[in-house]
């Protein structure tokens, strides 16, 4: 989740599709969407091959020519310092959204912070055991991996690897049996230093090509339009399952899903898009 300041910028750039959910910052290599080092299986999900020098690979969207598939992804955000807000009653979860996805039978990928899993272990574990969902890593702290990432506190380079590993530990402790080898940078911000810091962990960094704008949004119709206008075959859509900071998302999903199905789209998890990228060669 990006702080509210980013949302204010996004409102001015709504037509340009830069809104509150985040976009990659800093240096970024060309996406390695066609390099896959493993095939889909129950125990070994597809991942992208490392870049030059073992650099962590980055995935943004699937093939455009492999049928009308789209992946809805949801960031379960909670930063390391937000415990007091949760204790005072703020809801960083969104059970209604998850129920809507189950009712609509939409597979989805949830990028979960370790701090969120610590706060909501029962919900994290339920998602981890539900075959309709796959749970991936969104860091433990939800602190930025680059400087100047929309006001987020930052993780030092020598702490980045440990932050990702700690998140996996929290996911396991919450009962997620097979967290995916996918990582989403907080705020979508990364650079060469961050990619190098995570080299060797075996994770694929997953970005997106459709920014929903649901973070801090109060106009569900505007979010719906932004998603529908942006989706292409192979798209990855970023949304949030944080009730207090993305209150319209459930309504957006209930509108977007039937409309995209009417347009011929099939909903898939991120792992299937990465698998498609490799099989398309």
């Amino acid at each position: 989740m990006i702080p509210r300041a980013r949302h204010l910028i996004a409102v001015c750039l709504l037509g340009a599709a830069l809104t509150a959910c985040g976009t990659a910052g800093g240096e970024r290599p060309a996406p390695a969407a066609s390099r896959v080092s493993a095939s889909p299986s129950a125990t070994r999900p597809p991942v992208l091959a490392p870049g030059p020098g073992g650099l962590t690979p980055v995935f943004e969207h699937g093939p455009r020519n492999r049928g009308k598939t789209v992946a809805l992804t949801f960031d379960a955000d909670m930063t390391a310092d937000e415990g007091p807000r949760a204790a005072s009653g703020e809801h960083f979860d969104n059970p209604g959204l998850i129920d809507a996805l189950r009712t609509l039978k939409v597979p989805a990928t949830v990028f979960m912070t370790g701090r969120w899993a610590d706060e909501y272990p029962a919900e994290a574990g339920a998602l981890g055991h539900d075959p309709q969902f796959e749970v991936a890593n969104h860091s433990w702290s939800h602190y930025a991996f680059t400087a100047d990432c929309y006001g987020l506190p930052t993780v030092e380079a020598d702490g980045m690897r440990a932050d990702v590993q700690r998140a996996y530990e929290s996911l396991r402790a919450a009962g997620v049996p097979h967290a995916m080898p996918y990582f989403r940078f907080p705020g979508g911000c990364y650079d060469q230093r961050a990619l190098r810091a995570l080299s060797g962990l075996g994770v694929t960094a997953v970005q997106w090509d459709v920014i929903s704008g649901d973070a801090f949004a109060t106009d569900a119709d505007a979010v719906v339009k932004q998603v529908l206008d942006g989706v292409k075959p192979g798209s990855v859509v970023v949304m949030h399952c944080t009730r207090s900071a993305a209150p319209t998302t459930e309504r957006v999903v209930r509108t977007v899903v039937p409309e995209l199905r009417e347009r011929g789209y099939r909903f898939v998890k991120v792992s299937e898009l990465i698998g498609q990228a490799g099989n398309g060669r």
Side-chain angles (χ1 to χ4, degrees):
M1 182 76 69
I2 303 300
R4 186 176 300 273
R6 181 163 190 196
H7 176 64
L8 296 176
I9 296 170
V11 169
C12 299
L13 299 174
L14 183 61
L18 280 176
T19 57
C21 289
T23 185
E27 275 185 90
R28 54 194 297 184
S34 62
R35 302 195 306 272
V36 178
S37 63
S39 298
S41 74
T43 58
R44 193 172 178 81
V47 293
L48 298 186
L55 205 65
T56 300
V58 180
F59 179 80
E60 293 181 359
H61 60 78
R64 301 301 193 190
N65 60 353
R66 294 293 305 251
K68 295 177 113 177
T69 54
V70 59
L72 299 186
T73 70
F74 298 89
D75 292 355
D77 294 340
M78 187 173 180
T79 60
D81 57 359
E82 287 178 333
R85 288 168 56 181
S88 68
E90 184 170 347
H91 295 286
F92 294 89
D93 63 342
N94 194 339
L97 168 64
I98 300 304
D99 288 346
L101 291 167
R102 287 183 171 128
T103 299
L104 293 165
K105 296 180 170 55
V106 177
T109 303
V110 178
F111 288 88
M112 190 179 294
T113 64
R115 182 65 186 85
W116 194 99
D118 292 345
E119 187 71 26
Y120 304 106
E123 293 179 51
L127 286 169
H129 283 275
D130 188 334
Q132 185 175 319
F133 299 93
E134 59 188 13
V135 175
N137 193 316
H138 194 31
S139 81
W140 185 83
S141 64
H142 200 260
Y143 288 178
F145 282 53
T146 66
D148 192 26
C149 183
Y150 312 106
L152 288 171
T154 57
V155 178
E156 296 300 323
D158 60 3
M160 293 176 182
R161 190 183 187 92
D163 194 78
V164 175
Q165 291 172 322
R166 183 178 179 183
Y168 277 121
E169 291 169 2
S170 288
L171 295 178
R172 285 193 294 271
V176 177
H178 303 295
M180 303 297 284
Y182 308 142
F183 175 71
R184 175 164 284 167
F185 286 99
C189 302
Y190 69 91
D191 54 18
Q192 293 285 323
R193 183 182 69 162
L195 295 176
R196 281 195 298 271
L198 303 187
S199 294
L201 283 179
V203 299
T204 293
V206 175
Q207 296 288 98
W208 54 81
D209 66 314
V210 178
I211 304 170
S212 70
D214 67 335
F216 308 114
T218 56
D219 185 347
D221 291 338
V223 179
V224 167
K225 183 178 187 305
Q226 187 147 310
V227 173
L228 294 178
D229 287 350
V231 166
K232 302 177 182 66
S235 279
V236 176
V237 183
V238 60
M239 290 189 274
H240 296 82
C241 52
T242 309
R243 224 182 319 174
S244 61
T248 67
T249 309
E250 179 185 345
R251 281 180 284 158
V252 169
V253 164
R254 291 186 182 276
T255 303
V256 162
V257 167
E259 176 60 29
L260 286 176
R261 282 179 170 153
E262 181 68 21
R263 297 181 186 186
Y265 279 91
R266 180 173 65 90
F267 293 96
V268 300
K269 302 170 190 173
V270 164
S271 56
E272 183 167 336
L273 288 186
I274 294 177
Q276 286 179 1
N279 294 333
R281 290 185 65 82

